[in-house]
Amino acid sequence: MKYYGAVSNTHLYGVKPEVQALCIKALELAGNAKRDISIVDGLRTTKEQQALYAKGRTQLNGVDKLSYHQNGNAIDFTPFVNWQRFKFVGRLTGNSNQVSQLVKVTGLSSTQVWERVHREFHGTAMFFYLAAHELGYKITWGGDWNNDGCTLDNNFEDLGHIQFEGLV
């Protein structure tokens, strides 16, 4: 069985037991496919949510509009990738600074790098969907807010976000 590292475990502390179970099951499924996942955020205080809102990293200000993170029903994840061909091993953040660095390292165009990053997040989200199915949970991924299977109709993309909606 695969286990999360110390940093991921720190971010799992405080989230609801269902979210913890979801993450553990997703990591197990990912490990079976020789993939890895890091948890990079979990429970947030109002102050932390407001700071992210001020930076434009969320549409929820933490007061008028609460985040699922504030009640322990959400985590943020990142795929841990090993792109040996491009000599890149590490966590994908999906931010523009990292994409710019990956363009230099890989020799790929910005569009090609974004497509690879998106594929990695999409593939990792599928482990969470599979885990949710096995556990009888309903979840929402920040790459498909309306859960219609189409990732092109989002007005705000948060590829590393998973939120627990309840039992099926």
Side-chain angles (χ1 to χ4, degrees):
M1 179 159 189
K2 201 161 170 58
Y3 297 97
Y4 283 107
V7 173
S8 290
N9 281 329
T10 299
H11 294 299
L12 286 173
Y13 180 77
V15 298
K16 300 273 175 79
E18 296 87 353
V19 176
Q20 292 175 357
L22 175 72
C23 292
I24 290 165
K25 181 54 114 173
L27 181 66
E28 178 186 318
L29 294 168
N32 292 342
K34 307 236 185 301
R35 304 281 301 270
D36 202 358
I37 304 169
S38 293
I39 305 301
V40 295
D41 202 4
L43 184 65
R44 286 186 197 145
T45 65
T46 300
K47 187 175 180 178
E48 290 168 329
Q49 186 67 28
Q50 289 175 319
L52 290 171
Y53 180 75
K55 293 177 185 175
R57 292 190 40 213
T58 180
Q59 293 183 333
L60 307 174
N61 66 15
V63 177
D64 301 322
K65 295 180 180 178
L66 297 180
S67 165
Y68 276 65
H69 284 280
Q70 290 174 268
N71 63 16
N73 279 320
I75 55 93
D76 289 337
F77 70 89
T78 184
F80 190 91
V81 299
N82 185 348
W83 292 349
Q84 290 179 345
R85 179 174 155 213
F86 301 115
K87 296 179 176 62
F88 174 80
V89 176
R91 293 188 315 179
L92 285 180
T93 62
N95 70 36
S96 55
N97 290 337
Q98 187 183 50
V99 168
S100 296
Q101 291 172 340
L102 288 170
V103 167
K104 291 175 189 172
V105 171
T106 63
L108 298 172
S109 71
S110 179
T111 301
Q112 291 170 314
V113 169
W114 274 116
E115 287 171 357
R116 281 180 174 271
V117 167
H118 198 276
R119 258 194 324 265
E120 291 287 349
F121 274 97
H122 190 273
T124 304
M126 292 305 103
F127 294 117
F128 284 97
Y129 276 117
L130 289 169
H133 178 75
E134 285 189 26
L135 295 168
Y137 295 170
K138 181 179 183 327
I139 63 168
T140 298
W141 170 47
D144 184 15
W145 289 108
N146 60 4
N147 280 318
D148 67 352
C150 178
T151 60
L152 302 175
D153 59 356
N154 292 317
N155 60 4
F156 181 76
E157 199 169 65
D158 189 357
L159 296 177
H161 178 84
I162 296 286
Q163 61 193 39
F164 174 73
E165 304 285 354
L167 301 176
V168 176

